[in-house]
Amino acid sequence: MFACLNMAAAQSGSIRLLPEAGLSYPLGDFKSQNVFAAKGYQFGGHLDLMWGNFGFGLYGGMDRNDIQYKDLLPASNPGLSIVKTADIEQGYWRQLAAGLGPVLRLNFSKRINFELSSKIGVAQFSYPDYSQLVNTGTPPGEEFTLYQTNNEAAAKRFTPMLLSAGRLNIGLARNIDLSLSGNFRHVRDVRHAYRFLDGDFSPNMSNDALLEALRTAPTVAEVRKCHFNSVGVTVGLGITFGGKKDKPDEVKIAPPVPEYPEDGATISTEEADSLVLQWQREKPETAKANYNLWLYKVAESGRGADSLIFKTKTQRKNSAALPESVRLEPDQTYKWRVQAVDDRKLKPCPGDCYSLYATFQVGGGESVYFYELLTKDAGNYVEAKGQLRVKLPKNIYVDGKVAGRIFNAKNEEVLKVENLLPGNRSAFHSTDEQGGVAFSLRGLQEGYYRLEVQDEQHRRYFLRFKNGKTVGNGKD
């Protein structure tokens, strides 16, 4: 059997050897009257062939349960001597068992797993050999046999056995596990033979009633066929041989993804004038990745190839601003993509880690409305869809920087721009020379917000707005 398992394991699986030992507790018929089995111990071994989380195994082991004879005689009576003795040749039950069955493993972590197994086979019992005696009266007294095994009437034979177990395995070292198990054993049709004094005994009997019962009770011989059940708790040490060695998991890399403008988006001419292309980094992110970026003007159908109008490389940044020399035209379609480069960890990234193309359109040159800021946090909520345009007060640039912050309905800060000076721009805003500021709201959820602008003189200006769904990016 071991040779067969070893050959199969060499092909695709691994062999786990698990010796274990623990306690055994009889149940039901096994500890009933006239059987008298008590707590004992068990030890055995499992030899399992595992294919990943599923396996098939062999079990062999032995259980030994002590005997604990109980009678209903009085402990003592005034004027009557009661002496109980036992003549013991073998004072325990012993069973040898073997079985085969499946194993299912559930992994909790790399070091901890739980197994369920159920093995079907046969068991053979070795019977206790003893008699229980009682001596009454003064010497020489009378001696009676209360109980006596009758092994010659129950020949040894193999009986069906089922052993089911749940096992928690904890990794101690490579290929070595500590195993903690609980099991249930069911053995069918165990023959048990004995003789006993069939008297109506009770602990409260009078002397006369006790002597009468001992002298007149018949001796009854019985042969019973019982199902012997027991539960066990064990501890073991599992050792695994063969199988595939653990290899470091190869990290799968997903290429970067264009984020703004996203594929299918339509941006305004104002956004196009201060466009900052942004993308999501590769997943999982690598520490030293740089990025190549290409922007093309899409040719009209049948009028030649797309034109490359901008190319750059960023150093560990996932955004790139278009220079002033690159002007995007209204009602024109463009496409762009990026590539992650220069980090050795990008090797598993498919297709040389190019992103897909994102195609977007620049809207027409329609007029744009700028909202005036208020000196108090009051007023109705104005509508904004993906972008908020405000006009800064003329005297706000007298002293130093001007900062802008946006708060959500829970008064949590969700966007902050440190410097709103004319001509300045970031991934989230742009400011023209006339003090018009365009805030990008594409990272904000739909809902109600508050804009707060403050200069270094602590003068504050406000605007309440509602961010709605944007148009032209796949949403309503």
Side-chain angles (χ1 to χ4, degrees), residues 43 71 78 129 164 166 244 257 262-263 265 348 376 411 426 452 461 463:
F43 65 86
D71 62 60
D129 185 4
S164 298
K244 295 181 180 180
V257 177
E262 64 185 336
D263 188 43
K376 294 183 179 181
N411 204 34
S426 69
E452 180 180 311
Y461 302 87
L463 183 67

Side-chain angles (χ1 to χ4, degrees), residues 36 195 210-211 222 277 287:
F36 308 120
R195 302 182 184 93
L210 174 60
L211 291 173
E222 290 186 342
L277 297 156

Side-chain angles (χ1 to χ4, degrees), residues 443-460:
L444 303 183
Q445 298 179 351
E446 295 180 52
Y448 293 90
Y449 295 87
R450 183 183 84 251
L451 169 66
E452 180 180 311
V453 175
Q454 180 175 313
D455 63 12
E456 291 190 349
Q457 299 301 313
H458 302 293
R459 289 175 294 188
R460 295 195 297 170

Side-chain angles (χ1 to χ4, degrees), residues 22-340:
L23 300 176
S24 173
Y25 298 88
L27 300 174
D29 290 346
F30 198 17
K31 67 172 184 178
S32 65
Q33 186 178 5
N34 298 326
V35 177
F36 308 120
K39 181 181 74 174
Y41 61 84
Q42 63 177 220
F43 65 86
H46 299 263
L47 186 62
D48 299 329
L49 173 59
M50 301 297 299
W51 297 273
N53 291 335
F54 180 79
F56 192 81
L58 167 69
Y59 169 78
M62 185 194 82
D63 281 30
R64 172 172 162 165
N65 293 87
D66 294 331
I67 56 174
Q68 187 174 4
Y69 179 83
K70 297 179 181 179
D71 62 60
L72 297 177
L73 300 182
S76 63
N77 274 23
L80 179 64
S81 172
I82 300 176
V83 179
K84 302 174 186 179
T85 59
D87 183 9
I88 299 175
E89 295 291 331
Q90 178 171 305
Y92 55 84
W93 288 86
R94 183 179 66 192
Q95 60 173 305
L96 301 176
L100 292 167
V103 181
L104 176 64
R105 178 178 297 165
L106 306 173
N107 293 315
F108 296 145
S109 69
K110 289 184 177 181
R111 295 182 60 249
I112 300 177
N113 64 74
F114 186 78
E115 288 181 347
L116 296 171
S117 66
S118 189
K119 295 177 180 177
I120 299 174
V122 294
Q124 185 183 68
F125 278 86
S126 175
Y127 297 91
D129 185 4
Y130 74 100
S131 58
Q132 191 76 20
L133 310 173
V134 61
N135 191 291
T136 63
T138 57
E142 296 178 84
E143 186 174 77
F144 303 92
T145 300
L146 297 175
Y147 177 89
Q148 184 174 26
T149 58
N150 186 19
N151 297 328
E152 60 274 13
K156 291 183 179 180
R157 63 175 186 154
F158 292 104
T159 55
M161 182 273 302
L162 170 68
L163 177 65
S164 298
R167 183 174 296 108
L168 181 67
N169 300 313
I170 303 172
L172 300 180
R174 179 178 175 82
N175 295 334
I176 299 178
D177 296 332
L178 175 66
S179 173
L180 305 174
S181 173
N183 60 68
F184 172 77
R185 187 190 306 263
H186 174 71
V187 184
R188 298 185 63 82
D189 301 334
V190 181
R191 291 169 59 88
H192 177 219
Y194 52 88
R195 302 182 184 93
F196 69 100
L197 197 62
D198 189 14
D200 189 15
F201 300 111
S202 92
N204 301 318
M205 297 176 74
S206 66
N207 292 344
D208 291 341
L210 174 60
L211 291 173
E212 179 68 18
L214 289 171
R215 291 167 180 166
T216 60
T219 297
V220 177
E222 290 186 342
V223 178
R224 289 180 176 261
K225 184 184 291 186
C226 303
H227 302 330
F228 282 1
N229 298 327
S230 61
V231 295
V233 288
T234 63
V235 61
L237 197 65
I239 305 173
T240 302
F241 302 93
K244 295 181 180 180
K245 295 183 178 179
D246 293 336
K247 295 181 179 180
D249 294 335
E250 186 177 81
V251 178
K252 295 181 179 180
I253 303 290
V257 177
E259 184 177 41
Y260 178 77
E262 64 185 336
D263 188 43
T266 298
I267 65 173
S268 67
T269 54
E270 289 75 18
E271 290 176 299
D273 289 340
S274 58
L275 183 60
V276 178
L277 297 156
Q278 289 185 296
W279 56 92
Q280 297 176 6
R281 294 169 61 93
E282 67 287 347
K283 298 293 182 182
E285 295 182 6
T286 58
K288 299 180 180 179
N290 299 319
Y291 301 91
N292 292 323
L293 179 145
W294 297 266
L295 175 64
Y296 297 85
K297 180 180 179 181
V298 177
E300 294 184 16
S301 177
R303 296 193 178 185
D306 299 335
S307 304
L308 178 64
I309 62 173
F310 180 62
K311 178 181 178 180
T312 190
K313 184 175 184 178
T314 67
Q315 302 294 319
R316 303 181 189 177
K317 289 177 57 180
N318 60 325
S319 64
L322 293 186
E324 293 184 2
S325 58
V326 178
R327 306 299 296 179
L328 302 185
E329 302 171 12
D331 298 318
Q332 179 61 52
T333 302
Y334 299 86
K335 69 177 184 181
W336 66 286
R337 71 170 175 174
V338 292
Q339 178 194 23

Side-chain angles (χ1 to χ4, degrees), residues 385 446 468-476:
K385 294 184 177 181
E446 295 180 52
K469 294 183 179 179
T470 59
V471 178
N473 61 351
K475 301 179 180 181
D476 293 336

Side-chain angles (χ1 to χ4, degrees), residues 276 278 415-417 425-430 438-442:
V276 178
Q278 289 185 296
L415 178 64
K416 183 175 182 180
V417 178
R425 64 180 179 177
S426 69
F428 307 104
H429 93 290
S430 62
F439 290 96
S440 173
L441 308 179
R442 62 182 179 277

